[in-house]
Amino acid sequence: MKNFTSIEDVPNPKGLIQDVINLIDQSNHSTIGKEKTLGMVFFNPSLRTRLSTQKAAQNLGMEVIVLNIDKDAWNVEFEDGTTMDGDSQEHIRDAVKVISSYCDLLAVRTFASLTNRQQDYEERELQNFLKHSSVPVISMESATLHPLQSLTDMATIVHTNIPKPKVVLSWAPHPKPLPQAVANSFLEWVTELQAEVVVAHPKGYELSEKFAAGYKVTHNQQEAFKNADIIYAKNWSSYSDYGARPAVEENWTITSELMQKTNQAQFMHCLPIRRNVVATDAVIDDSLVYQQAKNREYAAQAVIKNLLEVL
Amino acid sequence: MKNFTSIEDVPNPKGLIQDVINLIDQSNHSTIGKEKTLGMVFFNPSLRTRLSTQKAAQNLGMEVIVLNIDKDAWNVEFEDGTTMDGDSQEHIRDAVKVISSYCDLLAVRTFASLTNRQQDYEERELQNFLKHSSVPVISMESATLHPLQSLTDMATIVHTNIPKPKVVLSWAPHPKPLPQAVANSFLEWVTELQAEVVVAHPKGYELSEKFAAGYKVTHNQQEAFKNADIIYAKNWSSYSDYGARPAVEENWTITSELMQKTNQAQFMHCLPIRRNVVATDAVIDDSLVYQQAKNREYAAQAVIKNLLEVL
Amino acid sequence: MKNFTSIEDVPNPKGLIQDVINLIDQSNHSTIGKEKTLGMVFFNPSLRTRLSTQKAAQNLGMEVIVLNIDKDAWNVEFEDGTTMDGDSQEHIRDAVKVISSYCDLLAVRTFASLTNRQQDYEERELQNFLKHSSVPVISMESATLHPLQSLTDMATIVHTNIPKPKVVLSWAPHPKPLPQAVANSFLEWVTELQAEVVVAHPKGYELSEKFAAGYKVTHNQQEAFKNADIIYAKNWSSYSDYGARPAVEENWTITSELMQKTNQAQFMHCLPIRRNVVATDAVIDDSLVYQQAKNREYAAQAVIKNLLEVL
């Protein structure tokens, strides 16, 4: 594995999922990262990703350098060939070449504009990191994907030991427009499971065909929940009317009543979660969400170890 | 010791004070914290606490992860049962459960609103950490207490070797309203010393009876300073008219003239200090304040070591 | 060496430059910094300096504590004797005494006001650190000097193995007023090289005589570039009309055409660079700038090691 930015970077996804499960069952430290440095670059806020990735690297004996590029450093220019006589102070190509020269691995958190679909789906920021970094790049969420989250989610589902689970990816309400990254990435990875997958969302919230093709999609949340073993909740904004939040007539908040239609399903969410908006307190408080969050450490550790082994 | 948020958490306060004194006399490093992680969560700015606690943990071989939750992560919701459709992005219960899952010890700096006395004195933020953390919690100052400071102060006073000192906790002026935490906490801990304690403050600045009961209180600063061996200066705002700063007719700034009324007393302050407002340059420059600040490292080290030993 | 804030602190500059070159040729780790702490204090943004200095300290086994004093801590008062009843919360003398008490070495990044020349050239902030720190101080750029950059630059130039190079320090355009620190510092250090040095800048951009005295200065950029082996580009604002940007008629942007007048010169710049303003993409992309940035790690490592050896 040379980078970790999408399942397409992973030669053996099932093996990597199993590595995570092994760490869930028995966490461990090693010194494989001794005298090696992970650079973590953030363009926007992060809690789980920041802490779990730093912890994972330290479990492997690495040094970690964190750069909040928006606060600690300079305004970054992303356009090539531009005359930089405005507000941006450093070009992304220079920043990435320099940062990567101090690191053995580079992790980066970029963001979706939600206003320019083409630019977001071309992953302009992440591609700049991949193009200019002299070391392997780990995505800590990009404009359209969140592979560390999805690797975590797969390991968490497999770890439930439910045979051939019915897994429902359910849209849920949110007061602000959010990216499609977690949902896209979930669909990229869930093919690795022996599972029946249903995507449930209101009309207008169709995901990109690149990710949704081949999956059963329904606009009937109640129908989708029937006999479900795993409910994976997530809000996202519109892909077709990019970044919009089309009106939704029904109440898609996930409640205990709704969960009762399932086969005693486990509730999952990547956090942070808007309580009593995405799902009710009762649903969240009896769920896998904290195990998922903890498993982020193990997913990051498995990925970092894998990348270190081939340095 | 299971947590460190108040003297009430400490089974043997005198023993802990002695541990700090031992480190003052001979600082040392150990590897008791090897492969263990301290998470430090800040809701507001900090210099001494941030640096001394991080240093202390590193002296014990720990890894440290720092989260400026207000800047690096999300807006935090503290109310239970609320529908989170506004600005707050993550509930404190979720944040604490997740953060603590990556750590072996969790240190947190919360703050006083100074507008809602009941909420502050119920320590709503800190209690959420205690309730939801899966690991021991260290207070790096809360709404109403600052136990790492007070432990430091006790060790610093004992280390002066003054027999049965007269210790004066003196209110002093400040341009902004400040919490009562340092003063409250000082009174919680000073009972451990063989000392005569006097609290001096202008009318209207009475501290909560919970902390002030049993101590001699005077509104006459000059009288209080007579024969004093230790002057501990601190500003606080009103408890009864919560957060207000009632007008004060006399000048309570601590000057060299005032110090001459004492028994060559040592001047103490927790820093940061407003020079020539709380006390004059001459008083501060010939004082224990820097030794106090350095002792914060040793107090934090003694507390962390104590907590690690019973993990 | 007791501090590192100017070439004047360095007993043997040529030896220190050679130490950096040795690390360029063969980087290495050591444990000389084990159980020692570097405090890094920033008053303003930084990318290269932040990352390279942290990396260098870790290469030597040190712990690193980073304080963004403007964001993580308090507003700092620099005036002595002032009555601190306004916005500033902590006096620089108290902050430095306290911070240095937790560290074995203290690195600080201060800034030029560009409005008060006397204050900048007296290095008020840095001098406060030197006066009040109990441990050696490393400048990570001050108001008027940037010695880690200049040490890097000298090692980078020597490492090109060009015998007796013609080195041109060329002013270049920039949309904002910048300090003279990099240029001043370059001139302080370049005397250590066997080189012919020319300073080229438009009228009105004369540097302080303290640094420029003895160097050939020209206002003709084209003339300066003839037969040059090294072009070191940097913008700075006016010293005489302090902080101003007098109008410049010619275009001083460094282009491939201009570079063709040289003796196949290597282009250098300290970064961040405004592309197509200071120099064109083509010039930057075929240059020493990334090697320079990487060499910052080695320069910091040589300096820290030197300071640790005499602790």
Side-chain angles (χ1 to χ4, degrees):
Chain A
M1 195 162 70
K2 292 182 180 168
N3 297 292
F4 183 77
T5 66
S6 153
I7 198 170
E8 295 175 20
D9 288 326
V10 186
N12 178 7
K14 285 186 181 65
L16 191 59
I17 293 167
Q18 188 57 49
D19 290 346
V20 180
I21 291 167
N22 294 346
L23 285 166
I24 296 173
D25 287 336
Q26 184 161 16
S27 66
N28 60 57
H29 286 64
S30 88
T31 56
I32 189 180
K34 193 164 179 286
E35 297 190 353
K36 299 237 178 311
T37 297
L38 172 68
M40 291 172 57
V41 179
F42 291 93
F43 283 88
N44 58 346
S46 162
L47 188 151
R48 266 151 295 279
T49 300
R50 178 186 296 266
L51 298 182
S52 63
T53 309
Q54 184 170 354
K55 180 77 183 302
Q58 292 172 341
N59 288 349
L60 297 168
M62 296 188 85
E63 301 283 356
V64 177
I65 294 178
V66 178
L67 185 71
N68 299 311
I69 201 166
D70 52 332
K71 301 193 197 80
D72 300 340
W74 310 105
N75 291 329
V76 175
E77 174 64 49
F78 287 100
E79 291 295 332
D80 278 337
T82 190
T83 300
M84 289 174 59
D85 55 4
D87 283 336
S88 55
Q89 297 162 301
E90 176 143 38
H91 198 281
I92 186 67
R93 76 162 64 193
D94 297 329
V96 174
K97 286 186 181 187
V98 170
I99 297 168
S100 65
S101 79
Y102 303 136
C103 301
D104 299 283
L105 297 178
L106 190 55
V108 60
R109 166 94 153 207
T110 63
F111 55 92
S113 68
L114 292 186
T115 55
N116 185 332
R117 186 171 86 179
Q118 185 182 345
Q119 184 176 286
D120 284 353
Y121 274 73
E122 286 174 350
E123 293 282 6
R124 188 183 59 157
E125 285 75 16
L126 178 63
Q127 288 303 321
N128 265 294
F129 274 80
L130 286 165
K131 184 172 176 188
H132 298 297
S133 174
S134 55
V135 299
V137 172
I138 299 169
S139 164
M140 299 190 294
E141 189 172 356
S142 64
T144 70
L145 292 172
H146 196 348
L148 281 173
Q149 182 65 51
S150 302
L151 171 59
T152 300
D153 296 336
M154 298 310 118
T156 306
I157 293 172
V158 173
H159 199 258
T160 63
N161 283 320
I162 302 168
K164 290 207 180 183
K166 179 180 176 185
V167 175
V168 178
L169 171 62
S170 176
W171 185 92
H174 196 281
K176 301 255 170 84
L178 293 186
Q180 295 107 31
V182 170
N184 289 342
S185 199
F186 187 87
L187 295 178
E188 252 197 357
W189 282 82
V190 75
T191 55
E192 298 298 324
L193 304 189
Q194 297 288 330
E196 177 196 351
V197 179
V198 176
V199 184
H201 59 70
K203 285 184 185 169
Y205 287 90
E206 288 71 22
L207 291 163
S208 163
E209 270 304 295
K210 180 179 172 190
F211 302 104
Y215 289 110
K216 183 179 170 188
V217 175
T218 174
H219 301 139
N220 186 328
Q221 193 185 29
Q222 305 241 356
E223 183 68 24
F225 273 49
K226 278 186 194 157
N227 298 315
D229 298 293
I230 300 284
I231 301 297
Y232 194 97
K234 185 73 188 80
N235 174 271
W236 60 84
S237 58
S238 175
Y239 174 77
S240 56
D241 182 9
Y242 194 62
R245 301 194 301 134
V248 176
E249 288 188 10
E250 306 86 4
N251 180 4
W252 282 66
T253 299
I254 297 169
T255 63
S256 299
E257 292 69 39
L258 200 52
M259 291 298 285
Q260 280 167 9
K261 299 192 179 296
T262 67
N263 182 26
Q264 297 186 297
Q266 304 270 21
F267 177 82
M268 297 177 69
H269 188 277
C270 61
L271 305 184
I273 192 165
R274 300 278 189 145
R275 284 177 168 259
N276 303 309
V277 178
V278 171
T280 60
D281 283 335
V283 171
I284 298 165
D285 290 340
D286 178 24
S287 76
L288 290 178
V289 298
Y290 306 118
Q291 183 64 54
Q292 263 180 285
K294 176 63 177 171
N295 292 353
R296 289 289 306 275
E297 175 183 333
Y298 303 133
Q301 187 172 336
V303 166
I304 293 170
K305 181 160 183 284
N306 195 304
L307 291 169
L308 285 174
E309 282 168 350
V310 295
L311 273 192
Chain B
M1 194 161 71
K2 291 181 180 169
N3 297 291
F4 183 77
T5 66
S6 153
I7 197 170
E8 294 174 21
D9 288 327
V10 186
N12 179 6
K14 286 186 181 63
L16 192 59
I17 293 167
Q18 188 57 49
D19 289 346
V20 181
I21 292 168
N22 293 347
L23 285 166
I24 296 173
D25 287 336
Q26 183 161 19
S27 66
N28 60 57
H29 286 64
S30 89
T31 57
I32 188 180
K34 193 165 180 286
E35 296 191 354
K36 299 236 177 313
T37 298
L38 172 69
M40 291 172 57
V41 179
F42 291 92
F43 283 87
N44 58 347
S46 162
L47 187 151
R48 265 151 297 278
T49 300
R50 176 186 297 266
L51 297 183
S52 63
T53 309
Q54 183 170 355
K55 178 77 183 302
Q58 291 172 341
N59 288 349
L60 298 168
M62 296 188 84
E63 301 282 357
V64 177
I65 295 179
V66 178
L67 185 70
N68 298 312
I69 201 166
D70 53 331
K71 302 193 196 79
D72 299 340
W74 311 105
N75 292 330
V76 175
E77 174 64 50
F78 288 100
E79 291 295 332
D80 279 337
T82 189
T83 299
M84 290 173 58
D85 55 4
D87 283 337
S88 55
Q89 298 162 300
E90 177 143 37
H91 199 282
I92 185 67
R93 76 163 64 194
D94 297 329
V96 174
K97 285 185 182 187
V98 170
I99 296 168
S100 65
S101 79
Y102 303 135
C103 301
D104 298 283
L105 297 178
L106 190 55
V108 60
R109 166 93 154 207
T110 63
F111 55 92
S113 67
L114 292 187
T115 55
N116 186 332
R117 188 172 84 179
Q118 186 183 345
Q119 184 177 284
D120 283 353
Y121 273 73
E122 285 172 352
E123 293 282 5
R124 188 182 60 157
E125 286 75 17
L126 179 63
Q127 288 303 321
N128 265 294
F129 274 80
L130 286 166
K131 185 173 176 188
H132 298 297
S133 174
S134 55
V135 300
V137 173
I138 299 169
S139 163
M140 299 191 294
E141 189 172 355
S142 64
T144 71
L145 293 172
H146 196 348
L148 281 173
Q149 182 66 52
S150 302
L151 171 59
T152 300
D153 296 337
M154 297 312 118
T156 305
I157 293 172
V158 173
H159 200 258
T160 63
N161 284 319
I162 301 168
K164 292 209 180 183
K166 179 180 177 185
V167 176
V168 179
L169 171 62
S170 176
W171 185 92
H174 197 280
K176 302 254 171 84
L178 293 187
Q180 295 106 32
V182 170
N184 289 343
S185 199
F186 188 86
L187 295 178
E188 252 197 357
W189 282 81
V190 76
T191 55
E192 298 298 324
L193 304 188
Q194 297 287 330
E196 176 196 350
V197 179
V198 177
V199 184
H201 58 71
K203 285 185 187 170
Y205 288 90
E206 287 71 24
L207 292 163
S208 163
E209 270 304 294
K210 179 179 172 191
F211 301 104
Y215 289 110
K216 182 179 170 189
V217 175
T218 174
H219 301 138
N220 186 329
Q221 193 186 29
Q222 305 241 357
E223 183 67 24
F225 273 49
K226 277 186 193 158
N227 297 314
D229 298 293
I230 300 285
I231 300 297
Y232 194 97
K234 184 74 188 80
N235 174 269
W236 60 86
S237 57
S238 175
Y239 174 77
S240 55
D241 183 10
Y242 195 61
R245 300 195 300 133
V248 176
E249 289 189 10
E250 305 84 6
N251 180 4
W252 283 66
T253 299
I254 296 170
T255 63
S256 298
E257 292 69 39
L258 200 51
M259 291 298 284
Q260 282 168 7
K261 299 191 178 299
T262 68
N263 182 25
Q264 296 186 298
Q266 303 270 20
F267 177 82
M268 297 177 68
H269 188 275
C270 60
L271 304 185
I273 191 166
R274 300 278 189 143
R275 284 177 167 258
N276 303 309
V277 178
V278 170
T280 59
D281 283 335
V283 171
I284 298 165
D285 290 341
D286 178 25
S287 76
L288 290 178
V289 298
Y290 305 118
Q291 183 64 54
Q292 264 180 285
K294 176 63 176 170
N295 291 352
R296 289 289 307 274
E297 175 183 333
Y298 302 133
Q301 186 172 336
V303 166
I304 293 170
K305 181 159 182 285
N306 195 305
L307 291 169
L308 285 174
E309 281 168 349
V310 296
L311 273 192
Chain C
M1 194 161 70
K2 292 181 182 170
N3 296 290
F4 183 77
T5 65
S6 153
I7 198 169
E8 294 174 20
D9 289 325
V10 186
N12 179 4
K14 285 186 180 65
L16 191 59
I17 293 167
Q18 188 57 48
D19 289 346
V20 181
I21 291 168
N22 293 346
L23 285 166
I24 296 173
D25 287 336
Q26 182 160 19
S27 66
N28 60 58
H29 287 63
S30 89
T31 57
I32 188 179
K34 193 163 178 289
E35 298 191 353
K36 298 233 177 315
T37 298
L38 172 68
M40 291 171 57
V41 179
F42 292 92
F43 283 86
N44 58 346
S46 161
L47 188 150
R48 265 151 297 278
T49 299
R50 178 185 296 267
L51 297 182
S52 63
T53 309
Q54 184 170 355
K55 179 77 183 303
Q58 292 172 342
N59 288 350
L60 297 168
M62 296 187 86
E63 302 283 357
V64 177
I65 294 178
V66 178
L67 184 71
N68 299 312
I69 201 165
D70 53 333
K71 302 193 197 78
D72 300 340
W74 310 104
N75 291 330
V76 175
E77 175 63 50
F78 288 100
E79 291 295 331
D80 279 337
T82 189
T83 299
M84 289 173 60
D85 54 4
D87 284 336
S88 54
Q89 298 161 299
E90 177 145 36
H91 198 281
I92 185 67
R93 76 162 64 193
D94 297 329
V96 174
K97 285 186 181 186
V98 170
I99 297 169
S100 65
S101 78
Y102 303 136
C103 300
D104 299 283
L105 296 178
L106 190 55
V108 59
R109 167 93 152 206
T110 63
F111 54 93
S113 67
L114 292 186
T115 55
N116 185 332
R117 186 171 86 180
Q118 187 183 344
Q119 185 176 286
D120 284 354
Y121 274 73
E122 285 173 351
E123 293 282 6
R124 190 183 58 157
E125 285 76 16
L126 178 63
Q127 287 303 322
N128 266 293
F129 273 80
L130 286 166
K131 184 173 176 187
H132 299 296
S133 174
S134 54
V135 300
V137 172
I138 299 169
S139 164
M140 298 190 295
E141 188 172 357
S142 63
T144 70
L145 293 173
H146 196 349
L148 281 173
Q149 182 66 51
S150 302
L151 171 59
T152 300
D153 295 337
M154 296 312 117
T156 306
I157 293 172
V158 173
H159 199 258
T160 62
N161 284 320
I162 302 168
K164 290 207 178 183
K166 179 181 176 185
V167 175
V168 178
L169 171 63
S170 177
W171 185 92
H174 196 281
K176 300 255 170 83
L178 294 186
Q180 295 108 31
V182 171
N184 289 342
S185 200
F186 187 87
L187 295 178
E188 252 197 358
W189 282 81
V190 75
T191 54
E192 298 298 323
L193 304 189
Q194 296 289 328
E196 176 196 351
V197 179
V198 176
V199 184
H201 58 71
K203 285 184 186 171
Y205 288 90
E206 287 71 22
L207 291 164
S208 162
E209 270 303 295
K210 179 179 173 190
F211 301 103
Y215 288 109
K216 183 179 170 187
V217 176
T218 174
H219 300 139
N220 186 329
Q221 193 186 29
Q222 306 242 355
E223 183 67 25
F225 273 49
K226 278 185 192 157
N227 297 313
D229 298 292
I230 300 285
I231 301 297
Y232 193 97
K234 185 73 188 78
N235 174 270
W236 60 84
S237 58
S238 176
Y239 174 77
S240 55
D241 182 10
Y242 195 60
R245 300 194 302 133
V248 176
E249 290 189 10
E250 306 85 5
N251 179 5
W252 282 68
T253 298
I254 296 169
T255 63
S256 298
E257 292 69 39
L258 200 52
M259 290 298 284
Q260 281 167 8
K261 298 192 179 299
T262 68
N263 181 27
Q264 297 187 298
Q266 303 270 20
F267 178 82
M268 296 177 70
H269 188 276
C270 61
L271 304 183
I273 191 166
R274 301 277 189 144
R275 285 176 167 260
N276 303 309
V277 178
V278 170
T280 59
D281 283 336
V283 171
I284 299 165
D285 290 341
D286 178 25
S287 76
L288 290 178
V289 298
Y290 305 118
Q291 183 64 51
Q292 263 179 286
K294 176 64 176 169
N295 291 353
R296 289 289 305 275
E297 175 184 334
Y298 303 133
Q301 186 171 336
V303 166
I304 293 170
K305 181 159 181 285
N306 195 304
L307 292 169
L308 286 173
E309 282 169 348
V310 295
L311 272 192

